[in-house]
Amino acid sequence: MLKKLMFLLLAVVLVVALSGCGSKGTSGTKYKFATDAAYAPMEYMDKDKMTGFDIDFLAEVMKEAGLSYEVTNTGWDTMLTSVKQGKEFQAGISSVSITDERKQTYDYSIPYFESTNMILVKEGSPIKSAADLKDKKVAVQISTTADTLMSKIMGEKNPSLKRLDNNTLALMELENNGVDAVVADIAIVREYVKNNPNKKFVTISDPKNFESEYYGILLPKGSELKAKLDPAIKKVIENGAYAKVYKKWFGQDPDTKKLLEQK
């Protein structure tokens, strides 16, 4: 009897000890994130598995915040619409640039990634800057900052500006000589060139016309999730977890000082 009592007591102590392991618990609410997983290396499908920088970064943030979550590949336009409604999805993470226009419709987390747009052309192209694109055929992903920038340069109703559902289609247009150039986020353009070394593509940076922009996690207006995400993002950037994920995907250390200066 005494042995049985001691065994039960030991079992209770073990359960208590195990429940105390780890620095953070997980909340009972499971937050649903939408994404457009066609944006390598930021978020994309590797066979049946979703992967990429944003996916690894979000895992670190949610672990730091102690929050349960899941990510669903919805596509770009569906993500924007569903996050705005805030019913099926409570947030979106898909290399979403923070813009004044979008701030009228959405809330954002604090910035977590610095980016800029880049031009991609074929070798031998006369295009050297964004100004050279004005009278050319250009492909962009619809409703992105590349779309906004090129609408200003080329004219919003210019038929030579091809707005496609995703960057994969835009890049295919360039491959098939349907356009003279693609404008997209720098990470996407560089990844494409890296994965296609024999296709003789040329990348063009234009800081004069394409300024730095910052990604944030997209949230519905008035979301209670922002107060949970912001301190977790800041902590992940400060404690080295962010740099580890960044180096895994981009092979270099990020400028976290500049990132933390953003509001």
Short mmCIF file of all heavy atoms in Angstrom, two decimals, residues 108-177:
data_model
loop_
_atom_site.label_atom_id
_atom_site.label_comp_id
_atom_site.label_asym_id
_atom_site.label_seq_id
_atom_site.Cartn_x
_atom_site.Cartn_y
_atom_site.Cartn_z
N TYR A 108 -1.71 46.42 -39.14
CA TYR A 108 -0.50 45.62 -39.36
C TYR A 108 0.20 45.37 -38.03
O TYR A 108 0.07 46.15 -37.10
CB TYR A 108 0.49 46.38 -40.24
CG TYR A 108 0.22 46.39 -41.71
CD1 TYR A 108 -0.47 47.43 -42.32
CD2 TYR A 108 0.70 45.37 -42.52
CE1 TYR A 108 -0.68 47.46 -43.70
CE2 TYR A 108 0.50 45.39 -43.90
CZ TYR A 108 -0.19 46.43 -44.48
OH TYR A 108 -0.40 46.45 -45.83
N SER A 109 0.98 44.30 -38.02
CA SER A 109 1.96 44.15 -36.94
C SER A 109 3.07 45.16 -37.19
O SER A 109 3.10 45.84 -38.22
CB SER A 109 2.55 42.73 -36.97
OG SER A 109 3.39 42.58 -38.13
N ILE A 110 4.00 45.25 -36.26
CA ILE A 110 5.20 46.05 -36.52
C ILE A 110 5.96 45.41 -37.69
O ILE A 110 5.82 44.23 -37.97
CB ILE A 110 6.10 46.15 -35.28
CG1 ILE A 110 6.57 44.76 -34.82
CG2 ILE A 110 5.42 46.91 -34.16
CD1 ILE A 110 7.61 44.80 -33.71
N PRO A 111 6.77 46.19 -38.43
CA PRO A 111 7.50 45.63 -39.58
C PRO A 111 8.45 44.51 -39.18
O PRO A 111 9.05 44.55 -38.11
CB PRO A 111 8.28 46.84 -40.11
CG PRO A 111 7.53 48.03 -39.61
CD PRO A 111 7.00 47.63 -38.27
N TYR A 112 8.57 43.52 -40.06
CA TYR A 112 9.48 42.40 -39.77
C TYR A 112 10.46 42.10 -40.91
O TYR A 112 11.32 41.23 -40.78
CB TYR A 112 8.69 41.13 -39.41
CG TYR A 112 7.95 40.50 -40.58
CD1 TYR A 112 8.58 39.61 -41.45
CD2 TYR A 112 6.61 40.78 -40.81
CE1 TYR A 112 7.90 39.03 -42.51
CE2 TYR A 112 5.92 40.20 -41.87
CZ TYR A 112 6.58 39.34 -42.71
OH TYR A 112 5.89 38.76 -43.77
N PHE A 113 10.34 42.81 -42.04
CA PHE A 113 11.22 42.51 -43.17
C PHE A 113 11.35 43.73 -44.06
O PHE A 113 10.34 44.38 -44.39
CB PHE A 113 10.63 41.34 -43.98
CG PHE A 113 11.57 40.77 -45.02
CD1 PHE A 113 12.42 39.73 -44.70
CD2 PHE A 113 11.59 41.26 -46.32
CE1 PHE A 113 13.28 39.19 -45.64
CE2 PHE A 113 12.44 40.74 -47.27
CZ PHE A 113 13.30 39.70 -46.93
N GLU A 114 12.58 44.06 -44.44
CA GLU A 114 12.84 45.15 -45.38
C GLU A 114 12.98 44.60 -46.79
O GLU A 114 13.69 43.62 -47.02
CB GLU A 114 14.12 45.90 -45.01
CG GLU A 114 14.41 47.07 -45.94
CD GLU A 114 15.74 47.76 -45.65
OE1 GLU A 114 16.48 47.28 -44.79
OE2 GLU A 114 16.01 48.78 -46.31
N SER A 115 12.29 45.24 -47.73
CA SER A 115 12.35 44.78 -49.12
C SER A 115 12.36 45.99 -50.06
O SER A 115 12.29 47.14 -49.63
CB SER A 115 11.14 43.89 -49.44
OG SER A 115 11.22 43.40 -50.76
N THR A 116 12.45 45.71 -51.33
CA THR A 116 12.27 46.72 -52.38
C THR A 116 11.91 45.97 -53.65
O THR A 116 12.07 44.74 -53.72
CB THR A 116 13.55 47.55 -52.61
OG1 THR A 116 13.26 48.62 -53.51
CG2 THR A 116 14.68 46.69 -53.18
N ASN A 117 11.38 46.67 -54.62
CA ASN A 117 11.07 46.01 -55.89
C ASN A 117 12.30 46.02 -56.80
O ASN A 117 13.18 46.87 -56.68
CB ASN A 117 9.90 46.72 -56.57
CG ASN A 117 8.57 46.26 -56.02
OD1 ASN A 117 8.08 45.19 -56.39
ND2 ASN A 117 7.99 47.05 -55.14
N MET A 118 12.33 45.05 -57.70
CA MET A 118 13.47 44.88 -58.60
C MET A 118 12.94 44.55 -60.00
O MET A 118 11.88 43.93 -60.14
CB MET A 118 14.37 43.76 -58.09
CG MET A 118 15.57 43.45 -58.96
SD MET A 118 16.69 42.25 -58.18
CE MET A 118 17.85 43.38 -57.39
N ILE A 119 13.68 44.96 -61.00
CA ILE A 119 13.32 44.69 -62.40
C ILE A 119 14.09 43.46 -62.88
O ILE A 119 15.28 43.31 -62.61
CB ILE A 119 13.68 45.89 -63.29
CG1 ILE A 119 12.98 47.16 -62.79
CG2 ILE A 119 13.31 45.61 -64.74
CD1 ILE A 119 13.55 48.44 -63.38
N LEU A 120 13.38 42.59 -63.60
CA LEU A 120 14.02 41.43 -64.20
C LEU A 120 13.82 41.48 -65.71
O LEU A 120 12.69 41.67 -66.20
CB LEU A 120 13.41 40.14 -63.65
CG LEU A 120 14.05 38.83 -64.17
CD1 LEU A 120 15.48 38.70 -63.65
CD2 LEU A 120 13.23 37.62 -63.76
N VAL A 121 14.91 41.36 -66.46
CA VAL A 121 14.86 41.38 -67.93
C VAL A 121 15.74 40.25 -68.46
O VAL A 121 16.51 39.64 -67.72
CB VAL A 121 15.35 42.72 -68.51
CG1 VAL A 121 14.44 43.85 -68.06
CG2 VAL A 121 16.81 43.00 -68.10
N LYS A 122 15.65 40.03 -69.77
CA LYS A 122 16.54 39.06 -70.41
C LYS A 122 17.85 39.74 -70.79
O LYS A 122 17.90 40.94 -71.01
CB LYS A 122 15.87 38.46 -71.65
CG LYS A 122 14.74 37.50 -71.31
CD LYS A 122 14.26 36.76 -72.54
CE LYS A 122 13.27 35.67 -72.15
NZ LYS A 122 12.81 34.89 -73.34
N GLU A 123 18.90 38.94 -70.85
CA GLU A 123 20.23 39.44 -71.22
C GLU A 123 20.16 40.15 -72.57
O GLU A 123 19.52 39.66 -73.51
CB GLU A 123 21.22 38.28 -71.28
CG GLU A 123 22.67 38.69 -71.32
CD GLU A 123 23.58 37.48 -71.23
OE1 GLU A 123 23.87 36.89 -72.30
OE2 GLU A 123 23.99 37.12 -70.11
N GLY A 124 20.78 41.33 -72.66
CA GLY A 124 20.77 42.09 -73.89
C GLY A 124 19.67 43.13 -73.97
O GLY A 124 19.60 43.89 -74.94
N SER A 125 18.82 43.17 -72.95
CA SER A 125 17.73 44.14 -72.94
C SER A 125 18.27 45.56 -72.81
O SER A 125 19.23 45.81 -72.08
CB SER A 125 16.79 43.86 -71.76
OG SER A 125 15.86 44.92 -71.59
N PRO A 126 17.65 46.54 -73.50
CA PRO A 126 18.08 47.94 -73.39
C PRO A 126 17.60 48.60 -72.09
O PRO A 126 18.00 49.72 -71.78
CB PRO A 126 17.44 48.60 -74.61
CG PRO A 126 16.20 47.80 -74.85
CD PRO A 126 16.56 46.38 -74.49
N ILE A 127 16.76 47.92 -71.33
CA ILE A 127 16.19 48.48 -70.10
C ILE A 127 17.27 48.56 -69.02
O ILE A 127 17.95 47.56 -68.72
CB ILE A 127 15.01 47.62 -69.61
CG1 ILE A 127 13.87 47.67 -70.64
CG2 ILE A 127 14.52 48.09 -68.24
CD1 ILE A 127 12.79 46.63 -70.41
N LYS A 128 17.44 49.75 -68.45
CA LYS A 128 18.46 49.96 -67.42
C LYS A 128 17.88 50.52 -66.11
O LYS A 128 18.54 50.52 -65.09
CB LYS A 128 19.53 50.93 -67.92
CG LYS A 128 20.22 50.51 -69.21
CD LYS A 128 20.92 49.17 -69.06
CE LYS A 128 21.55 48.73 -70.40
NZ LYS A 128 22.12 47.36 -70.32
N SER A 129 16.63 51.02 -66.17
CA SER A 129 16.00 51.60 -64.98
C SER A 129 14.49 51.55 -65.14
O SER A 129 13.97 51.21 -66.22
CB SER A 129 16.45 53.05 -64.80
OG SER A 129 15.87 53.88 -65.80
N ALA A 130 13.78 51.95 -64.08
CA ALA A 130 12.32 51.95 -64.13
C ALA A 130 11.79 52.93 -65.18
O ALA A 130 10.73 52.70 -65.77
CB ALA A 130 11.77 52.31 -62.75
N ALA A 131 12.53 54.01 -65.41
CA ALA A 131 12.10 55.00 -66.40
C ALA A 131 12.04 54.40 -67.81
O ALA A 131 11.22 54.82 -68.64
CB ALA A 131 13.04 56.20 -66.39
N ASP A 132 12.87 53.40 -68.06
CA ASP A 132 12.90 52.76 -69.38
C ASP A 132 11.70 51.85 -69.62
O ASP A 132 11.50 51.36 -70.74
CB ASP A 132 14.19 51.94 -69.54
CG ASP A 132 15.44 52.80 -69.51
OD1 ASP A 132 15.35 53.98 -69.90
OD2 ASP A 132 16.50 52.29 -69.08
N LEU A 133 10.93 51.60 -68.59
CA LEU A 133 9.79 50.68 -68.70
C LEU A 133 8.53 51.34 -69.24
O LEU A 133 7.56 50.66 -69.57
CB LEU A 133 9.48 50.07 -67.33
CG LEU A 133 10.57 49.19 -66.70
CD1 LEU A 133 10.18 48.81 -65.28
CD2 LEU A 133 10.82 47.95 -67.54
N LYS A 134 8.55 52.66 -69.32
CA LYS A 134 7.33 53.41 -69.64
C LYS A 134 6.66 52.96 -70.94
O LYS A 134 5.43 52.85 -71.02
CB LYS A 134 7.66 54.91 -69.73
CG LYS A 134 6.43 55.78 -69.82
CD LYS A 134 6.79 57.25 -69.69
CE LYS A 134 5.54 58.12 -69.74
NZ LYS A 134 5.86 59.56 -69.60
N ASP A 135 7.44 52.66 -71.94
CA ASP A 135 6.88 52.27 -73.23
C ASP A 135 7.11 50.79 -73.55
O ASP A 135 7.05 50.37 -74.71
CB ASP A 135 7.49 53.12 -74.35
CG ASP A 135 7.19 54.60 -74.16
OD1 ASP A 135 6.03 54.93 -73.84
OD2 ASP A 135 8.12 55.42 -74.30
N LYS A 136 7.35 50.00 -72.51
CA LYS A 136 7.60 48.58 -72.69
C LYS A 136 6.40 47.76 -72.19
O LYS A 136 5.48 48.29 -71.57
CB LYS A 136 8.86 48.15 -71.93
CG LYS A 136 10.11 48.91 -72.32
CD LYS A 136 10.51 48.65 -73.76
CE LYS A 136 11.83 49.35 -74.09
NZ LYS A 136 12.22 49.16 -75.50
N LYS A 137 6.44 46.46 -72.43
CA LYS A 137 5.45 45.55 -71.88
C LYS A 137 6.01 44.98 -70.57
O LYS A 137 7.11 44.42 -70.56
CB LYS A 137 5.15 44.41 -72.86
CG LYS A 137 4.42 44.86 -74.11
CD LYS A 137 4.14 43.68 -75.02
CE LYS A 137 3.39 44.13 -76.28
NZ LYS A 137 3.13 43.00 -77.20
N VAL A 138 5.24 45.16 -69.50
CA VAL A 138 5.73 44.79 -68.16
C VAL A 138 4.69 43.94 -67.46
O VAL A 138 3.49 44.24 -67.49
CB VAL A 138 6.03 46.05 -67.31
CG1 VAL A 138 6.55 45.65 -65.93
CG2 VAL A 138 7.02 46.95 -68.03
N ALA A 139 5.14 42.88 -66.78
CA ALA A 139 4.25 42.02 -66.01
C ALA A 139 4.48 42.23 -64.51
O ALA A 139 5.62 42.36 -64.07
CB ALA A 139 4.48 40.55 -66.37
N VAL A 140 3.38 42.29 -63.77
CA VAL A 140 3.43 42.40 -62.31
C VAL A 140 2.33 41.52 -61.72
O VAL A 140 1.40 41.11 -62.43
CB VAL A 140 3.19 43.86 -61.83
CG1 VAL A 140 4.28 44.79 -62.32
CG2 VAL A 140 1.82 44.36 -62.28
N GLN A 141 2.46 41.24 -60.44
CA GLN A 141 1.36 40.57 -59.75
C GLN A 141 0.34 41.63 -59.34
O GLN A 141 0.68 42.67 -58.78
CB GLN A 141 1.84 39.82 -58.50
CG GLN A 141 0.70 39.12 -57.76
CD GLN A 141 1.18 38.26 -56.61
OE1 GLN A 141 2.35 37.89 -56.55
NE2 GLN A 141 0.29 37.96 -55.69
N ILE A 142 -0.92 41.36 -59.61
CA ILE A 142 -1.98 42.32 -59.35
C ILE A 142 -2.11 42.64 -57.86
O ILE A 142 -1.87 41.78 -57.00
CB ILE A 142 -3.34 41.80 -59.91
CG1 ILE A 142 -4.39 42.91 -59.92
CG2 ILE A 142 -3.83 40.58 -59.13
CD1 ILE A 142 -5.63 42.56 -60.71
N SER A 143 -2.43 43.89 -57.55
CA SER A 143 -2.68 44.36 -56.18
C SER A 143 -1.44 44.33 -55.29
O SER A 143 -1.55 44.25 -54.07
CB SER A 143 -3.81 43.57 -55.52
OG SER A 143 -5.01 43.70 -56.26
N THR A 144 -0.25 44.35 -55.89
CA THR A 144 0.99 44.42 -55.13
C THR A 144 1.57 45.83 -55.26
O THR A 144 1.10 46.64 -56.06
CB THR A 144 2.02 43.40 -55.64
OG1 THR A 144 2.31 43.70 -57.02
CG2 THR A 144 1.48 41.98 -55.53
N THR A 145 2.63 46.11 -54.51
CA THR A 145 3.28 47.42 -54.63
C THR A 145 3.93 47.58 -56.01
O THR A 145 4.05 48.69 -56.52
CB THR A 145 4.34 47.63 -53.53
OG1 THR A 145 5.25 46.52 -53.53
CG2 THR A 145 3.68 47.75 -52.16
N ALA A 146 4.34 46.46 -56.62
CA ALA A 146 4.87 46.53 -57.99
C ALA A 146 3.79 47.04 -58.94
O ALA A 146 4.07 47.84 -59.84
CB ALA A 146 5.36 45.15 -58.44
N ASP A 147 2.58 46.58 -58.76
CA ASP A 147 1.43 47.05 -59.54
C ASP A 147 1.23 48.55 -59.34
O ASP A 147 1.07 49.31 -60.31
CB ASP A 147 0.18 46.27 -59.11
CG ASP A 147 -1.04 46.60 -59.95
OD1 ASP A 147 -0.98 47.50 -60.81
OD2 ASP A 147 -2.08 45.95 -59.73
N THR A 148 1.28 48.99 -58.11
CA THR A 148 1.10 50.42 -57.79
C THR A 148 2.19 51.27 -58.43
O THR A 148 1.92 52.31 -59.05
CB THR A 148 1.10 50.64 -56.27
OG1 THR A 148 0.05 49.87 -55.68
CG2 THR A 148 0.88 52.10 -55.92
N LEU A 149 3.44 50.84 -58.26
CA LEU A 149 4.57 51.58 -58.81
C LEU A 149 4.51 51.69 -60.33
O LEU A 149 4.71 52.76 -60.90
CB LEU A 149 5.88 50.92 -58.39
CG LEU A 149 6.28 51.05 -56.92
CD1 LEU A 149 7.39 50.07 -56.59
CD2 LEU A 149 6.71 52.47 -56.60
N MET A 150 4.23 50.56 -60.98
CA MET A 150 4.23 50.56 -62.44
C MET A 150 2.99 51.27 -63.01
O MET A 150 3.04 51.80 -64.12
CB MET A 150 4.33 49.13 -62.97
CG MET A 150 5.68 48.46 -62.67
SD MET A 150 7.12 49.53 -63.00
CE MET A 150 6.88 49.92 -64.73
N SER A 151 1.92 51.30 -62.24
CA SER A 151 0.73 52.06 -62.68
C SER A 151 1.05 53.55 -62.72
O SER A 151 0.58 54.27 -63.62
CB SER A 151 -0.44 51.81 -61.72
OG SER A 151 -0.89 50.48 -61.81
N LYS A 152 1.88 54.00 -61.79
CA LYS A 152 2.28 55.41 -61.77
C LYS A 152 3.23 55.73 -62.92
O LYS A 152 3.17 56.79 -63.54
CB LYS A 152 2.95 55.74 -60.43
CG LYS A 152 2.00 55.75 -59.25
CD LYS A 152 2.73 56.03 -57.96
CE LYS A 152 1.78 56.02 -56.77
NZ LYS A 152 2.49 56.22 -55.48
N ILE A 153 4.12 54.80 -63.22
CA ILE A 153 5.11 55.03 -64.27
C ILE A 153 4.50 54.87 -65.66
O ILE A 153 4.75 55.69 -66.56
CB ILE A 153 6.30 54.05 -64.10
CG1 ILE A 153 7.10 54.41 -62.84
CG2 ILE A 153 7.22 54.07 -65.34
CD1 ILE A 153 8.15 53.39 -62.46
N MET A 154 3.67 53.85 -65.86
CA MET A 154 3.16 53.53 -67.18
C MET A 154 1.74 54.05 -67.44
O MET A 154 1.32 54.16 -68.59
CB MET A 154 3.16 52.00 -67.37
CG MET A 154 4.54 51.37 -67.29
SD MET A 154 4.48 49.56 -67.43
CE MET A 154 3.89 49.35 -69.12
N GLY A 155 1.02 54.36 -66.36
CA GLY A 155 -0.39 54.73 -66.51
C GLY A 155 -1.26 53.57 -66.08
O GLY A 155 -1.05 52.43 -66.52
N GLU A 156 -2.23 53.84 -65.24
CA GLU A 156 -3.05 52.78 -64.65
C GLU A 156 -3.78 51.93 -65.70
O GLU A 156 -3.98 50.74 -65.52
CB GLU A 156 -4.05 53.39 -63.68
CG GLU A 156 -4.78 52.35 -62.83
CD GLU A 156 -5.61 52.97 -61.73
OE1 GLU A 156 -5.49 54.18 -61.50
OE2 GLU A 156 -6.38 52.23 -61.11
N LYS A 157 -4.20 52.55 -66.81
CA LYS A 157 -4.98 51.82 -67.82
C LYS A 157 -4.15 51.44 -69.03
O LYS A 157 -4.70 51.09 -70.08
CB LYS A 157 -6.19 52.67 -68.23
CG LYS A 157 -7.16 52.90 -67.09
CD LYS A 157 -8.38 53.69 -67.54
CE LYS A 157 -9.36 53.90 -66.38
NZ LYS A 157 -10.56 54.66 -66.80
N ASN A 158 -2.85 51.49 -68.89
CA ASN A 158 -1.96 51.14 -69.99
C ASN A 158 -2.09 49.63 -70.31
O ASN A 158 -1.83 48.80 -69.45
CB ASN A 158 -0.52 51.47 -69.61
CG ASN A 158 0.43 51.37 -70.80
OD1 ASN A 158 0.25 50.56 -71.70
ND2 ASN A 158 1.45 52.21 -70.78
N PRO A 159 -2.49 49.26 -71.52
CA PRO A 159 -2.66 47.84 -71.86
C PRO A 159 -1.35 47.06 -71.87
O PRO A 159 -1.36 45.83 -71.85
CB PRO A 159 -3.28 47.88 -73.26
CG PRO A 159 -2.88 49.20 -73.82
CD PRO A 159 -2.82 50.15 -72.65
N SER A 160 -0.23 47.77 -71.89
CA SER A 160 1.08 47.10 -71.88
C SER A 160 1.50 46.67 -70.47
O SER A 160 2.51 45.98 -70.32
CB SER A 160 2.15 48.02 -72.47
OG SER A 160 1.92 48.23 -73.85
N LEU A 161 0.73 47.09 -69.46
CA LEU A 161 0.99 46.66 -68.09
C LEU A 161 0.12 45.45 -67.81
O LEU A 161 -1.10 45.56 -67.66
CB LEU A 161 0.69 47.78 -67.11
CG LEU A 161 0.90 47.45 -65.62
CD1 LEU A 161 2.32 46.98 -65.36
CD2 LEU A 161 0.56 48.66 -64.75
N LYS A 162 0.74 44.28 -67.76
CA LYS A 162 0.00 43.04 -67.55
C LYS A 162 -0.06 42.71 -66.06
O LYS A 162 0.97 42.43 -65.43
CB LYS A 162 0.66 41.89 -68.32
CG LYS A 162 0.55 42.03 -69.83
CD LYS A 162 0.97 40.74 -70.52
CE LYS A 162 0.76 40.83 -72.03
NZ LYS A 162 1.09 39.55 -72.70
N ARG A 163 -1.27 42.73 -65.52
CA ARG A 163 -1.49 42.40 -64.11
C ARG A 163 -1.95 40.95 -64.01
O ARG A 163 -3.06 40.62 -64.44
CB ARG A 163 -2.52 43.34 -63.50
CG ARG A 163 -2.11 44.81 -63.53
CD ARG A 163 -3.21 45.69 -62.97
NE ARG A 163 -2.79 47.08 -62.89
CZ ARG A 163 -2.98 47.98 -63.86
NH1 ARG A 163 -3.57 47.60 -65.00
NH2 ARG A 163 -2.58 49.23 -63.72
N LEU A 164 -1.10 40.11 -63.43
CA LEU A 164 -1.39 38.68 -63.37
C LEU A 164 -1.64 38.23 -61.94
O LEU A 164 -1.31 38.93 -60.98
CB LEU A 164 -0.23 37.90 -63.99
CG LEU A 164 0.05 38.30 -65.46
CD1 LEU A 164 1.34 37.69 -65.94
CD2 LEU A 164 -1.10 37.90 -66.36
N ASP A 165 -2.22 37.05 -61.78
CA ASP A 165 -2.64 36.58 -60.46
C ASP A 165 -1.49 36.30 -59.52
O ASP A 165 -1.65 36.36 -58.30
CB ASP A 165 -3.51 35.32 -60.60
CG ASP A 165 -4.89 35.63 -61.14
OD1 ASP A 165 -5.30 36.80 -61.06
OD2 ASP A 165 -5.55 34.70 -61.64
N ASN A 166 -0.33 35.96 -60.06
CA ASN A 166 0.83 35.70 -59.19
C ASN A 166 2.12 35.94 -59.97
O ASN A 166 2.11 36.10 -61.20
CB ASN A 166 0.79 34.28 -58.60
CG ASN A 166 0.69 33.22 -59.68
OD1 ASN A 166 1.57 33.10 -60.54
ND2 ASN A 166 -0.39 32.45 -59.66
N ASN A 167 3.23 35.96 -59.24
CA ASN A 167 4.53 36.23 -59.87
C ASN A 167 5.00 35.09 -60.76
O ASN A 167 5.77 35.31 -61.69
CB ASN A 167 5.57 36.52 -58.78
CG ASN A 167 5.47 37.95 -58.28
OD1 ASN A 167 5.40 38.88 -59.06
ND2 ASN A 167 5.45 38.11 -56.97
N THR A 168 4.57 33.88 -60.47
CA THR A 168 4.94 32.74 -61.32
C THR A 168 4.45 32.97 -62.74
O THR A 168 5.20 32.75 -63.72
CB THR A 168 4.35 31.44 -60.77
OG1 THR A 168 4.83 31.23 -59.42
CG2 THR A 168 4.75 30.25 -61.62
N LEU A 169 3.22 33.43 -62.88
CA LEU A 169 2.67 33.73 -64.21
C LEU A 169 3.41 34.89 -64.86
O LEU A 169 3.66 34.88 -66.08
CB LEU A 169 1.18 34.04 -64.10
CG LEU A 169 0.27 32.89 -63.67
CD1 LEU A 169 -1.16 33.39 -63.47
CD2 LEU A 169 0.30 31.76 -64.70
N ALA A 170 3.77 35.89 -64.05
CA ALA A 170 4.51 37.04 -64.58
C ALA A 170 5.86 36.61 -65.13
O ALA A 170 6.28 37.02 -66.22
CB ALA A 170 4.68 38.10 -63.49
N LEU A 171 6.54 35.76 -64.39
CA LEU A 171 7.86 35.28 -64.80
C LEU A 171 7.76 34.40 -66.05
O LEU A 171 8.65 34.43 -66.90
CB LEU A 171 8.51 34.53 -63.65
CG LEU A 171 8.88 35.41 -62.44
CD1 LEU A 171 9.14 34.57 -61.21
CD2 LEU A 171 10.08 36.29 -62.75
N MET A 172 6.69 33.63 -66.15
CA MET A 172 6.47 32.80 -67.34
C MET A 172 6.26 33.68 -68.58
O MET A 172 6.69 33.33 -69.68
CB MET A 172 5.27 31.88 -67.12
CG MET A 172 5.55 30.71 -66.19
SD MET A 172 4.07 29.72 -65.84
CE MET A 172 3.66 29.14 -67.49
N GLU A 173 5.59 34.82 -68.38
CA GLU A 173 5.38 35.76 -69.49
C GLU A 173 6.72 36.26 -70.03
O GLU A 173 6.91 36.39 -71.24
CB GLU A 173 4.54 36.95 -69.02
CG GLU A 173 3.05 36.71 -69.03
CD GLU A 173 2.49 36.62 -70.45
OE1 GLU A 173 2.55 37.61 -71.19
OE2 GLU A 173 1.99 35.53 -70.79
N LEU A 174 7.64 36.55 -69.13
CA LEU A 174 8.97 37.00 -69.55
C LEU A 174 9.72 35.88 -70.26
O LEU A 174 10.35 36.11 -71.30
CB LEU A 174 9.76 37.48 -68.33
CG LEU A 174 11.18 38.00 -68.61
CD1 LEU A 174 11.16 39.19 -69.56
CD2 LEU A 174 11.88 38.38 -67.30
N GLU A 175 9.65 34.68 -69.72
CA GLU A 175 10.31 33.53 -70.33
C GLU A 175 9.82 33.31 -71.76
O GLU A 175 10.59 32.99 -72.67
CB GLU A 175 10.05 32.26 -69.51
CG GLU A 175 11.00 32.05 -68.36
CD GLU A 175 10.90 30.63 -67.83
OE1 GLU A 175 10.98 29.67 -68.63
OE2 GLU A 175 10.76 30.47 -66.61
N ASN A 176 8.50 33.49 -71.95
CA ASN A 176 7.88 33.21 -73.25
C ASN A 176 7.82 34.43 -74.16
O ASN A 176 7.10 34.43 -75.16
CB ASN A 176 6.47 32.66 -73.02
CG ASN A 176 6.48 31.33 -72.29
OD1 ASN A 176 7.38 30.53 -72.46
ND2 ASN A 176 5.47 31.10 -71.46
N ASN A 177 8.57 35.48 -73.78
CA ASN A 177 8.65 36.72 -74.58
C ASN A 177 7.32 37.46 -74.71
O ASN A 177 7.10 38.21 -75.66
CB ASN A 177 9.21 36.41 -75.98
CG ASN A 177 10.62 35.86 -75.94
OD1 ASN A 177 11.49 36.39 -75.26
ND2 ASN A 177 10.85 34.76 -76.65
#
